[in-house]
Amino acid sequence: MAHHSSLVAVMIEAARKAARGLARDFGETQALQVSKKGIADFVSKADFQAEQSVFETLSAARPKFGFIMEERGEVEGSDNSNRWIIDPLDGTTNFLHGIGHFAISIGLERDRQPFAGVIYNPASDELYWAEKGQGAWLNDRRLRVSGRRNLNECLFATGLPFAGREGRDEALEETRRVLEVTAGIRRFGAAALDLAYVAAGRYDAYWERGLNSWDVAAGAVLVREAGGFVTEIEGGTDFLNARSILAASSEIYDDAKSLITG
């Protein structure tokens, strides 16, 4: 049986509370008040409600911690070492189309490094969690990254830019190179779950450009605690701010980076 710390317990509590509203609204998307935040990038009433729920739970439990949130932005805290990084609904487009592949992602950054993460998909009731030095877990099962060594047996995941966003040609060229030598690519539309799937050994590698810190903060901890590597696509270490990420098992990380960067 897995035993998590009081810190992770608070994060799980926040995710499960926020998930109640998402579960209620999921499948009834026609009734949601939906506004456009950008081309093919939707924000729904559910996003804001989930974020407010997470914010209230975490603020009550750790009142000195700061926040970076997808919808509300940055809220400074008096504790300069700890900051929550929150995506209240990763996979919004899936959610609005009734596709059960979305998640609440809560990361904790400590001294500007990812320290703990919780990713919860209410539709599947899969709860991923990790804390530095304590391993990565799916519900009560310990996670390890894939042990596959041959690229032709490996399954990659990525995200492709929405219509109107920069980087489409670059992403398509990277995708072409990966498709030529691997077992395939999945594009499921939720970065947090892509990273969780790498940690669980479902994917062997995941890469994407144009991301924000709330997309990857929690998942990066999961991958690292499951024995994988997480960097920028070109190999740098500042993936929280550099807007690109590569996560892979230790067995194929070098080959994956060489393949994607050409």
Side-chain angles (χ1 to χ4, degrees):
M1 177 69 72
H3 296 283
H4 42 67
S5 68
S6 59
L7 174 70
V8 172
V10 166
M11 298 167 73
I12 292 174
E13 178 188 5
R16 288 195 179 278
K17 281 185 177 180
R20 294 170 192 162
L22 294 182
R24 182 182 61 248
D25 290 333
F26 181 60
E28 300 180 7
T29 56
Q30 295 300 320
L32 291 175
Q33 298 176 13
V34 180
S35 62
K36 281 192 175 182
K37 189 169 62 174
I39 299 174
D41 185 11
F42 300 101
V43 160
S44 70
K45 182 180 176 182
D47 282 281
F48 293 100
Q49 291 176 335
E51 186 171 276
Q52 181 63 24
S53 176
V54 172
F55 177 75
E56 290 175 358
T57 302
L58 295 180
S59 293
R62 300 290 191 275
K64 295 182 180 180
F65 288 15
F67 288 82
I68 294 179
M69 295 171 283
E70 181 178 15
E71 308 304 341
R72 188 180 298 191
E74 185 170 359
V75 176
E76 293 188 5
S78 59
D79 183 334
N80 293 323
S81 295
N82 293 286
R83 183 164 61 173
W84 302 112
I85 304 179
I86 299 166
D87 189 341
L89 179 49
D90 184 44
T92 305
T93 301
N94 289 342
F95 180 85
L96 294 177
H97 285 77
I99 299 170
H101 192 78
F102 59 89
I104 298 165
S105 177
I106 303 172
L108 177 67
E109 179 189 64
R110 177 164 291 174
D111 298 325
R112 298 298 182 262
Q113 296 295 320
F115 184 80
V118 166
I119 297 170
Y120 181 50
N121 181 352
S124 64
D125 196 32
E126 288 191 330
L127 176 70
Y128 300 86
W129 55 276
E131 184 176 358
K132 187 175 181 180
Q134 302 302 314
W137 304 79
L138 168 53
N139 298 328
D140 292 325
R141 179 170 64 84
R142 184 75 178 259
L143 298 180
R144 293 295 299 176
V145 294
S146 165
R148 299 181 190 90
R149 298 184 178 184
N150 299 320
L151 286 179
N152 61 6
E153 298 175 349
C154 291
L155 188 63
F156 281 49
T158 192
L160 296 173
F162 297 127
R165 289 191 173 182
E166 295 181 359
R168 178 177 290 270
D169 290 342
E170 182 179 27
L172 290 175
E173 176 58 25
E174 291 170 350
T175 300
R176 182 193 64 77
R177 288 198 297 268
V178 173
L179 281 172
E180 286 183 349
V181 298
T182 66
I185 295 176
R186 299 294 180 265
R187 196 276 189 216
F188 284 167
L193 289 174
D194 286 333
L195 288 163
Y197 280 21
V198 173
R202 297 174 179 176
Y203 297 149
D204 301 280
Y206 161 70
W207 89 99
E208 189 168 352
R209 300 183 188 273
L211 298 175
N212 295 291
S213 59
W214 52 78
D215 296 309
V216 301
V221 185
L222 279 160
V223 174
R224 286 179 166 176
E225 288 298 308
F229 291 163
V230 184
T231 65
E232 300 167 43
I233 290 174
E234 283 76 17
T237 60
D238 191 25
F239 55 84
L240 282 183
N241 302 301
R243 295 179 60 79
S244 88
I245 193 166
L246 169 60
S249 69
S250 56
E251 299 287 353
I252 68 158
Y253 170 83
D254 289 336
D255 288 341
K257 181 164 73 73
S258 297
L259 177 62
I260 292 163
T261 58

